[in-house]
Amino acid sequence: MAKDMTLWWGSGSLPCWRVMIALEEKKLQGYNQKLLSFEKGEHKSKEVMDVNPRGQLPAFKCGDKIINESYGACFFLECEYKSQGTKLIPENSSEKALVLQRTFEGNTLHQKMVDVFRYNQRVPENERHESAFKRLKETLTGEVQMWEGYLQKTPGGFLAGKNFSMADVIVYPSVARLFYMGLSDKRYPKLSEYHKNLKDRPSIKATWPPLYKDTPGQDIFKDT
């Protein structure tokens, strides 16, 4: 099964990491993988563009099926290999509702985080304003506080209950990026505990981004 799969990925890409965690959780080790360099523009190569015309990573093939969007790839793997590995979406309707809610909320956390740490890259220098950047950081702070609150109210140590689920596959990479880039352990004790506890989970440990091992993170989120 896994031998028919190919993943093109880039180190530090949160969407790529999601798919890699899902593959590990579904016991699909042994898939073909190609680590590409964003700096060298390898994600715009013909090989990638033939699979993902957007020239983005991840690019993912399962047999003759192509699923490049990370949410789609993770859900595909869960649906296609439902009885294999970790059950990422529970059968119980109440539990399923919470998992799906947290999973799709994860996109909001991701986007607000990206708005902050990509601000200087995306906004031309002559158009940057300290007040605009401050508002983005305040918006992110409110979002992170919301996730801290979720963990305070949810027993079990995971984002959607007592079991590791699709919500953790999708959201954990964003949480890890926040702490890699300076988020305060003291200000967010529950998120910090969640981050540290899952760091040693086999699927996460096996896919930990080389970027995080080789490059020190910037303290962009230390005041968040």
Side-chain angles (χ1 to χ4, degrees):
M1 292 180 290
K3 291 180 179 179
D4 292 331
M5 300 178 185
T6 302
L7 176 69
W8 292 262
W9 63 286
S11 180
S13 162
L14 305 190
C16 292
W17 196 7
R18 294 169 188 156
V19 179
M20 296 173 83
I21 293 171
L23 284 161
E24 290 287 327
E25 290 290 340
K26 300 311 291 182
K27 303 298 181 188
L28 292 165
Q29 296 92 344
Y31 58 93
N32 303 297
Q33 56 174 297
K34 298 185 179 183
L35 173 58
L36 304 179
S37 168
F38 289 112
E39 290 74 18
K40 295 177 181 178
E42 292 175 348
H43 57 301
K44 301 295 185 182
S45 67
K46 183 180 184 304
E47 181 182 14
V48 173
M49 296 292 285
D50 285 346
V51 180
N52 189 349
R54 293 182 182 275
Q56 299 172 342
L57 300 177
F60 181 63
K61 282 188 74 173
C62 179
D64 60 354
K65 296 172 281 293
I66 295 174
I67 318 100
N68 294 318
E69 292 297 321
S70 63
Y71 273 59
C74 291
F75 274 81
F76 173 81
L77 292 169
E78 172 62 12
C79 293
E80 198 76 359
Y81 304 99
K82 202 168 187 177
S83 61
Q84 183 171 317
T86 305
K87 193 171 188 62
L88 297 174
I89 301 176
E91 295 292 340
N92 178 276
S93 60
S94 296
E95 293 174 359
K96 183 187 297 184
L98 182 58
V99 167
L100 294 176
Q101 176 63 31
R102 294 289 179 266
T103 297
F104 285 91
E105 274 187 281
N107 191 51
T108 303
L109 174 63
H110 175 76
Q111 189 55 57
K112 289 179 179 179
M113 179 180 64
V114 169
D115 287 344
V116 171
F117 80 77
R118 296 287 191 207
Y119 182 77
N120 287 343
Q121 295 176 20
R122 293 180 172 179
V123 180
E125 189 172 357
N126 63 337
E127 295 178 18
R128 295 174 199 160
H129 298 283
E130 186 61 34
S131 59
F133 185 62
K134 183 180 178 182
R135 282 196 299 273
L136 289 175
K137 291 190 75 173
E138 288 171 349
T139 300
L140 175 61
T141 296
E143 183 67 24
V144 176
Q145 288 172 344
M146 186 170 289
W147 288 90
E148 175 74 10
Y150 288 158
L151 284 167
Q152 289 174 356
K153 297 173 185 175
T154 306
F158 299 106
L159 289 176
K162 61 184 180 181
N163 297 313
F164 186 91
S165 72
M166 186 65 78
D168 301 291
V169 170
I170 295 295
V171 180
Y172 182 82
S174 295
V175 173
R177 174 61 66 87
L178 284 165
F179 283 104
Y180 170 69
M181 300 184 83
L183 193 71
S184 170
D185 292 297
K186 291 182 179 179
R187 199 171 296 132
Y188 302 102
K190 282 293 183 182
L191 270 172
S192 177
E193 181 183 12
Y194 170 75
H195 171 239
K196 290 174 182 175
N197 287 345
L198 263 65
K199 202 170 182 179
D200 288 327
R201 187 176 179 88
S203 63
I204 291 170
K205 198 171 184 177
T207 57
W208 196 259
L211 175 71
Y212 294 2
K213 299 175 184 177
D214 302 336
T215 309
Q218 302 172 1
D219 287 336
I220 292 175
F221 301 128
K222 66 178 181 179
D223 297 324
T224 299

